[in-house]
Amino acid sequence: MNVPHWYKNAVFYEVYVRAFYDSSGDGHGDLRGLTQKLDYLQDLGVDCLWLMPTYPSPLKDDGYDIADYCGIHPSYGTLDDFKSLLDAAHARNIRIIMDLVLNHTSDQHPWFQAARADRNSPYRDYYVWSDTDDKYRGARIIFVDTEKSNWTWDPVAGQFFWHRFYSSQPDLNYDNPAVQEEILNVISFWLDMGVDGFRADAVPYLFEREGTNCENLPETHVLLKRLRQFIDENYPGRILLCEANQWPREVRPYFGNDDEFHMAFHFPLMPRIFMSIRRGDAEPIRWVLEQTPSIPNNTQWCTFLRNHDELTLEMVSEEDRQWMWNEYAPDPRMRLNLGIRRRLAPLLDNDRRRIELANSLLFTMPGSPIVYYGDEIGMGDNILLHDRNGVRTPMQWNIGFNAGFSNAGEIYAPVIDNSVFKLREVNVETQHGDPSSLLQTMQRMIAARKKHLTLGCGNLEWLDCGTRSVAAYSRAFRRERLVILNNLSDSQQSVNIKISGQTFTDVLKNKKFEAVNGQLQISLQPYEYLWLEG
Ligand code: GLC
C-alpha cells in the first residue's frame, strides 16, 4: 500500500546517545556504540530514531546548549562516526532525526563570545540585549526551579541578555536576518549529510514582542514557514517535528496549511493518559481529544508517554497538577519545575498491566508514537540524581558489568539495580529470550501497529460501551477497522457495544470474539486491553 508520508505510520524511538552504548570504554555512550546497537533497534521494529543533541557543548543542559551547530561532541565521536551511523541506520531502513535547538545557543558559542566582547561586533545583534531587565514582562519563566528572571546581566557585555531557559543559554535574535541565514546553513549541513529531519526544540519562543507573552508569535510562524519551504524545495521527504508545549489550539498553527511542521508533539494528551489510568476513567483522554482540532492530511501528531525531560504538567489545570503531584510524585524529590522527573515503569508502580495499558493507549491513539529508550524494558529511575539525570541513566543490556553498557571503571551515571527494579530482570538480554517479557510485548505491539495503517492514518470514533472505565474507540482507514478497548480500572469490566460486523480478532493475542445481534459483549480483566480487527 502506498503511503508516501512515512512519518504518519512510523514508530519513533528517542535515544540519549550518552546512555545507549559505550564503544570506547570511557564511561559515556557514543555514536559508534549506537551504531553497534542498531540491530537491536531494528529487531524492536522502530522506524525512526530521534537523537538528543550530539553537538559540541559545555553540557550545562545536556547538549541543549550548543557551542557549534556543525560538529559532534568529542565524547560522542566524530562527524565520520555520525555519517557511519546514518549509513548503517539507513541500510536497516531506520531513519534518524536530530535535535535542532533554534531558540538559543550555549554562552560558550563563539557567536556569543564575540557578541559579549564587542558592542560593534556583527555578532552582537545575534542575541537579545537590553540595558535594563524590565522588557518583555509578559513572558513566563520556564525553569522556575532555577531561574528568577529571563534577563541575566553580563559583566563583559555591560548589558543584560535574554534567555528563556538556563542563563547559560542566551536566546538568538531572529529579528536579525543573519541569524536566520545561519540556521538555514545549519539545516543544509545536516540534511546534506543525509539526516532525515529535525525535532525542533522549544519553538514557541523564537521572537520577543512587548505586550505579549512572547510565545507563538506570528513572526515565529513566518520564520518556521520559511524553514519548511527551504526543506521542501531542497530536501523533500525530510521532516520537521515541533516541540511546542502548548494547548492543541495553539499547536494547530504550527502545522500551518501543511506548510510548517510535518509533526508536532501532543503535550496535553500525555498527562491525561496518566490521569485516566489512575482514575479508571476515560474522560480526561476523551476531553483532550475533543479539544484537539483536526490537522492537515499530510501532518501528524507525535504521541508519547515519557521523554528525557520531566513529565510536564504545564498543560493541566492547577488543581489537576496538584492531584498529579500527589498521585505520581508523593516524594518532593520526584518533582521538578512544573513536572515529575520519573520514568514510565516507576510512575506506574512497576505494574506490568498498567505499563502495557499505557502503551496500548500510546499505540492506538491518533498520531505516531515515540518510545523513550529503556521504557521498552521497563527501566527504573534514580531521583537522587540532579535535574533530569535520573531518567537518563545507562541502557541496561545484560546482567554483566555496568549492565553491559560500558566496560569503564567509572560510568557517567549509575545503573539502576534495586529491590524493585532488579537488573537481572530489567535488561535486554534476559527479556529478549522470554516471550512473556515486556520487551517482547512491546515488539508485538510495534509490529501490529505498523501492520495496521489505520492506527497511523485512520480517524478515531469513541464507542459507547456502557462504562467510563473503559476507553473504547474505533479507528478506521480505507477498508480497515480496529476496535480498541482499554480497561483503565483495576476491576473487571463488562462492555456492551453496538457494532456492525460479526467476528472480531484481537491482533495481538489472536483471540476471537463474536458479535450477537449487532452487540459485542466482552468482559475485560483489570487493565486489560484488546485491539480487535473486524
Ligand atoms: C527542550 C528540551 C529540554 C531542554 C530545553 C532547553 O524543552 O526538551 O531538555 O532543557 O528545551 O533547550
Side-chain angles (χ1 to χ4, degrees):
M1 208 175 280
N2 178 25
V3 178
H5 305 291
W6 62 267
Y7 48 89
K8 289 201 71 163
N9 207 48
V11 176
F12 288 73
Y13 186 90
E14 179 182 0
V15 185
Y16 178 39
V17 178
R18 184 174 313 281
F20 214 59
Y21 185 63
D22 171 18
S23 74
S24 68
D26 69 351
H28 299 260
D30 44 49
L31 293 169
R32 286 188 186 191
L34 172 55
T35 309
Q36 288 174 29
K37 293 297 184 184
L38 285 173
D39 285 341
Y40 165 72
L41 295 168
Q42 184 178 25
D43 211 36
L44 181 60
V46 297
D47 303 286
C48 183
L49 311 181
W50 151 30
L51 305 192
M52 283 167 62
T54 53
Y55 307 90
S57 159
L59 304 177
K60 298 246 178 70
D61 185 12
D62 233 340
Y64 286 93
D65 46 334
I66 296 177
D68 171 5
Y69 280 101
C70 296
I72 295 292
H73 192 287
S75 86
Y76 288 135
T78 63
L79 279 171
D80 280 337
D81 294 336
F82 193 90
K83 282 185 211 145
S84 308
L85 167 66
L86 271 179
D87 290 345
H90 289 162
R92 289 168 175 78
N93 265 327
I94 295 177
R95 289 180 162 91
I96 294 188
I97 62 172
M98 59 192 300
D99 243 300
L100 180 67
V101 186
L102 295 165
N103 182 65
H104 46 263
T105 68
S106 159
D107 58 7
Q108 301 305 306
H109 196 292
W111 298 342
F112 189 75
Q113 290 300 322
R116 68 197 300 222
D118 178 3
R119 255 178 212 254
N120 298 315
S121 158
Y123 292 106
R124 184 75 166 200
D125 200 30
Y126 272 40
Y127 296 89
V128 182
W129 301 97
S130 172
D131 291 330
T132 62
D133 63 354
D134 53 8
K135 280 164 83 177
Y136 313 134
R137 286 271 160 122
R140 71 192 165 113
I141 292 165
I142 296 167
F143 286 167
V144 284
D145 284 359
T146 35
E147 301 299 326
K148 298 283 162 273
S149 166
N150 288 325
W151 290 107
T152 289
W153 175 255
D154 183 39
V156 180
Q159 278 190 303
F160 292 93
F161 64 89
W162 178 251
H163 57 90
R164 292 308 300 270
F165 295 91
Y166 288 126
S167 57
S168 50
Q169 291 165 307
D171 274 32
L172 284 165
N173 172 22
Y174 279 95
D175 279 318
N176 180 353
V179 172
Q180 301 200 10
E181 287 306 316
E182 294 276 12
I183 289 302
L184 287 177
N185 288 339
V186 170
I187 289 177
S188 289
F189 179 84
W190 293 106
L191 295 184
D192 283 341
M193 197 178 296
V195 166
D196 297 285
F198 299 99
R199 176 254 190 197
D201 181 73
V203 293
Y205 321 108
L206 301 183
F207 285 82
E208 302 73 38
R209 290 291 180 265
E210 206 56 79
T212 73
N213 66 357
C214 298
E215 297 186 15
N216 313 317
L217 296 180
E219 292 82 352
T220 296
H221 288 289
V222 172
L223 170 67
L224 293 168
K225 284 194 164 67
R226 179 168 181 218
L227 303 188
R228 169 64 183 267
Q229 195 184 355
F230 178 74
I231 290 177
D232 280 354
E233 279 168 14
N234 300 289
Y235 307 96
R238 319 293 178 90
I239 62 159
L240 285 171
L241 162 60
C242 169
E243 191 217 12
N245 187 354
Q246 303 279 332
W247 280 104
R249 64 168 177 275
E250 247 84 64
V251 179
R252 173 63 188 84
Y254 286 98
F255 292 110
N257 190 12
D258 192 18
D259 57 357
E260 215 168 303
F261 280 95
H262 302 81
M263 300 185 77
F265 289 114
H266 200 313
F267 274 95
L269 172 62
M270 179 273 299
R272 287 173 179 83
I273 291 177
F274 290 94
M275 278 179 179
S276 279
I277 293 178
R278 198 61 142 212
R279 292 179 183 161
D281 182 358
E283 196 46 34
I285 294 177
R286 202 183 156 125
W287 178 83
V288 80
L289 290 184
E290 268 166 26
Q291 309 297 308
T292 303
S294 64
I295 56 175
N297 248 338
N298 296 336
T299 63
Q300 177 70 309
W301 291 105
C302 190
T303 50
F304 62 102
L305 297 170
R306 290 297 295 110
N307 61 23
H308 65 288
D309 286 326
E310 66 274 27
L311 186 167
T312 158
L313 299 173
E314 281 171 50
M315 293 300 123
V316 300
S317 67
E318 181 56 41
E319 191 188 338
D320 285 340
R321 186 177 305 141
Q322 292 302 336
W323 183 86
M324 283 289 288
W325 269 330
N326 288 340
E327 294 293 324
Y328 282 110
D331 181 332
R333 289 174 303 178
M334 296 170 173
R335 303 177 189 183
L336 179 70
N337 298 319
L338 295 186
I340 300 173
R341 48 189 206 109
R342 302 183 75 192
R343 262 189 184 269
L344 181 65
L347 281 163
L348 299 175
D349 304 322
N350 203 25
D351 178 343
R352 179 63 187 276
R353 301 165 307 170
R354 277 183 279 156
I355 296 170
E356 283 189 32
L357 177 70
N359 279 295
S360 164
L361 290 160
L362 174 73
F363 284 113
T364 59
M365 292 269 145
S368 293
I370 184 154
V371 175
Y372 183 48
Y373 89 90
D375 281 349
E376 75 274 25
I377 54 171
M379 258 169 61
D381 54 28
N382 181 349
I383 55 169
L384 300 177
L385 299 180
H386 176 62
D387 197 350
R388 291 151 289 178
N389 295 344
V391 301
R392 300 180 184 178
T393 61
M395 180 69 180
Q396 299 173 183
W397 295 103
N398 56 47
I399 56 167
F401 184 59
N402 289 334
F405 157 74
S406 166
N407 48 33
E410 211 175 296
I411 53 177
Y412 78 95
V415 163
I416 310 267
D417 186 10
N418 56 43
S419 57
V420 180
F421 296 93
K422 300 184 190 82
L423 177 60
R424 70 181 146 80
E425 288 159 10
V426 187
N427 72 81
V428 169
E429 195 176 275
T430 303
Q431 296 195 19
H432 190 73
D434 175 3
S436 70
S437 67
L438 178 61
L439 178 60
Q440 288 214 21
T441 305
M442 291 288 285
Q443 239 164 345
R444 286 190 291 271
M445 279 195 188
I446 291 171
R449 153 93 203 187
K450 285 164 58 172
K451 189 164 158 227
H452 297 280
L453 288 186
T454 184
L455 292 174
C457 304
N459 65 354
L460 177 144
E461 222 172 279
W462 286 93
L463 300 171
D464 184 3
C465 67
T467 167
R468 276 172 43 166
S469 294
V470 175
Y473 40 88
S474 70
R475 305 285 319 269
F477 179 65
R478 296 186 180 157
R479 278 187 303 280
E480 187 181 55
R481 178 184 66 179
L482 291 184
V483 172
I484 312 288
L485 305 176
N486 297 290
N487 181 0
L488 303 162
S489 75
D490 60 359
S491 52
Q492 198 175 324
Q493 299 287 337
S494 296
V495 296
N496 194 349
I497 300 169
K498 195 163 166 264
I499 199 141
S500 60
Q502 179 74 40
T503 306
F504 294 83
T505 311
D506 178 27
V507 300
L508 293 165
K509 292 161 220 128
N510 215 13
K511 267 198 321 203
K512 291 211 183 321
F513 300 85
E514 295 289 327
V516 179
N517 298 330
Q519 299 280 338
L520 187 60
Q521 236 177 333
I522 296 181
S523 174
L524 294 163
Q525 294 306 309
Y527 302 119
E528 192 185 10
Y529 58 93
L530 295 171
W531 302 2
L532 303 174
E533 188 177 18

